[in-house]
Amino acid sequence: MGDTPLDIGRFLRSTHPYDLLDPKKLSPIEKNFEHLTLGSGVTVFSSGDVCEFIYLIEEGTVEISDSHGALVSILQPRNHFGERGALRDGIAVTTAKTSSQASLLRIPRAFFLKMLSEHETLARYFRRGQPRQNQLGGLTTLPVSELTKRTPITCASDTSIASAARLMRDQKISCLGIEDNGVLVGILTIRDLTNRVLAEGRDPSGPVSEVMTPKPVTLPPASLGSDVLHAMVEKNISHLPIVEGTKLVGIVTQSDLTRHQAASQSQIVADLGASETVEELAHSTKRLPELLVQLVGAHLAHDVVTRKITDVADIVTRRLVKLAEAEFGPAPVPFCWAACGSQGRREQTGVSDQDNCLIIDDSATADDMVYFQKLAKFVSDGLNACGYVYCPGDMMATAKRWQQPLSVWLGYFRKWIATPDPEAQMLASVMFDLRPIAGDSTLFDRLQSEGLAAAAKNSIFVSHMIGNSLTHTPPLSLLRGFATIKSGEHRNQLDLKMNGVVPVVDIGRIYALKGKLAAVNTRARLDAAVETGLLSSSGGRDLIAAYDTIATVRLEHQANQIRRGEKPDNFLSPSSLPAFERSHLRDAFVVVRSLQSTLGASVVR
């Protein structure tokens, strides 16, 4: 794994954001990187350590855990780590540990900060999202409205103890609000019934006013999870009424906090890592809808939400590959399991099917391919069991067409680029969003680099891709309204996927093809297009803001559906939005349509 300075420079030039720098400006940076080889299971640094270096993974994988030891993410080649602590106060906020033999590049923190001060391009990249990261407080920053999931059940203070107990039993709750004339006067809990009724032998026909907790500690709706935690610990209570004025609007219980913690990403990831069967994996992924509601309710940026949701899918996929190898034995030749579609772009929401493929080493024999057919079926079936349903278009590794040696994949891309007929355009749109998930990522690296290089050289192919992208247009009518769906199940609704985010996804892909940009995530592609000059600063800023608006409305719509117990989808009635939000959404669609017009005009010329 040894690297010379020349090798380090070559690696940096193929890694974002260093690939955006002029070679002369990159030269002093690469001289300050040093190479480090570590075995599996080595702790690079622990939470609370002084951040002496910032690391970049060249080969291998690194697990990142929070201060409580919960697994946060699994990083792969070309991922940095340690920069969060370096940018804050120089103290590591996480623990980094190699999960395989790893080849790392590291740079001293002092030079890293100097580098950011001298290069705006690098500063924008590493500092991007810092305010968003500060939002990631989990339970502590969550509004209490996200912790109270049902309308509080109440009764009057003169209700009999027996009647109140039956009401709690029938409603399957551990606490009742006691109200008189719409004013909260107390609460009745299971603990009250045990300690003040059963233990003291009270007559259950008496009024609840005799055994309730009067004038309970309360919090207003604007409170955060941290307020709930502090009150419960300080007062030694397990039920906390949420009161607006004098009216009870909710009750937060210890069970609510436990449920929230169980549905947190770190807990889901930890459970997935310990899963030994498909059934155990599926049990954990059932909590994904609740996780989506939590993340959206915490007002995180849409790309942070979708990244966290997609990270779970990645871990499930890698775990299934490991289980398959345990079932069928180690792979006979190197392979790469890659995802495309929303998982490839790290943009999964509450509605996700599976889109994946297998890139196999050219040394594979016919017998080897039988092994990969079994592996693909095992993983695809497992994903379906975990809620990532089979792709209706059969764009999965189980299809022989998408389970091929690298040379065949290279042939696919050459043919699509040389002969961009409608099918080729459709397939290229999907396959240029590939991202390696498991296995040997070098197989993918060659496919991506050669595909992007060939696409950028072929202006006819790019023109056809632009034309294909214009088939997905924002839903705008001529009279400052929305062009909603005219008939069928979703009449008078907007398709926030096909007419909302997909047009921006297509635009991002076009710029990636034009500029040979390695980024796959849509927002990252747009950022890179601005940084490389492919997209003007003002146009890029407007498009990114429009995309943020559309994607956020889509996520909030799905979270609201989940809260109501409905299956999330992409169809929104504009009338369900307040007037201001409708106007804002329409303005976002106008920006997207303007960029599409600009791209379309470039084809005509």
Side-chain angles (χ1 to χ4, degrees), residues 449-483:
S449 61
E450 292 193 18
L452 285 174
K457 291 178 182 177
N458 192 321
S459 59
I460 295 176
F461 170 73
V462 175
S463 295
H464 277 283
M465 291 294 288
I466 291 174
N468 182 64
S469 72
L470 301 181
T471 60
H472 301 119
T473 58
L476 294 168
S477 70
L478 296 177
L479 301 176
R480 284 204 56 80
F482 295 101

Side-chain angles (χ1 to χ4, degrees), residues 268 270-282 284 319 323:
I268 292 175
D271 291 344
L272 290 173
S275 296
E276 297 293 339
T277 65
V278 173
E279 291 73 21
E280 290 176 355
L281 290 171
S284 294
R319 193 74 190 117
L323 293 176

Side-chain angles (χ1 to χ4, degrees), residues 301-446:
H302 70 90
D303 51 324
V304 175
V305 175
T306 56
R307 171 61 185 264
K308 285 179 167 289
I309 295 295
T310 306
D311 283 349
V312 173
D314 290 356
I315 294 168
V316 170
T317 304
R318 285 192 287 268
R319 193 74 190 117
L320 286 168
V321 169
K322 290 292 185 184
L323 293 176
E325 290 175 326
E327 177 81 13
F328 307 122
V333 298
F335 72 95
C336 176
W337 183 283
C340 46
S342 59
Q343 184 182 3
R345 297 189 304 273
R346 287 193 169 107
E347 293 167 7
Q348 285 191 318
T349 65
V351 186
S352 298
D353 58 5
Q354 55 175 290
D355 300 284
N356 44 57
C357 64
L358 268 174
I359 307 167
I360 302 166
D361 189 85
D362 285 331
S363 63
T365 65
D367 288 341
D368 294 336
M369 296 305 291
V370 172
Y371 171 92
F372 288 112
Q373 290 168 14
K374 292 191 294 184
L375 180 141
K377 186 176 187 309
F378 183 97
V379 176
S380 184
D381 288 349
L383 288 170
N384 183 68
C386 291
Y388 306 100
V389 298
Y390 299 120
C391 173
D394 202 26
M395 198 157 285
M396 299 182 295
T398 49
K400 288 191 177 181
R401 187 181 188 183
W402 310 127
Q403 180 194 112
Q404 293 293 336
L406 175 61
S407 58
V408 175
W409 277 103
L410 290 169
Y412 285 164
F413 275 78
R414 294 187 190 110
K415 182 180 178 181
W416 295 334
I417 294 168
T419 313
D421 57 33
E423 182 188 31
Q425 295 169 38
M426 182 274 292
L427 294 174
S429 294
V430 174
M431 293 305 175
F432 271 110
D433 290 354
L434 278 177
R435 182 170 59 88
I437 305 297
D440 186 351
S441 62
T442 61
L443 293 168
F444 165 81
D445 292 342
R446 182 181 170 191

Side-chain angles (χ1 to χ4, degrees), residues 11 38 76 88 95 117 194 210 247 290 308 319 327 386 420 437 469 561 570:
F11 183 75
L38 299 176
Q76 296 181 324
R88 292 177 58 173
T95 295
S117 69
T194 301
E210 295 180 355
K247 182 176 177 56
E290 181 67 20
K308 285 179 167 289
R319 193 74 190 117
E327 177 81 13
C386 291
I437 305 297
S469 72
Q561 289 181 305
N570 294 298

Side-chain angles (χ1 to χ4, degrees), residues 155-162 164 178 188 206-213:
C155 70
S157 62
D158 59 359
T159 303
S160 72
I161 297 170
I178 311 302
L188 181 71
V208 292
S209 59
E210 295 180 355
V211 295
M212 71 181 185
T213 299

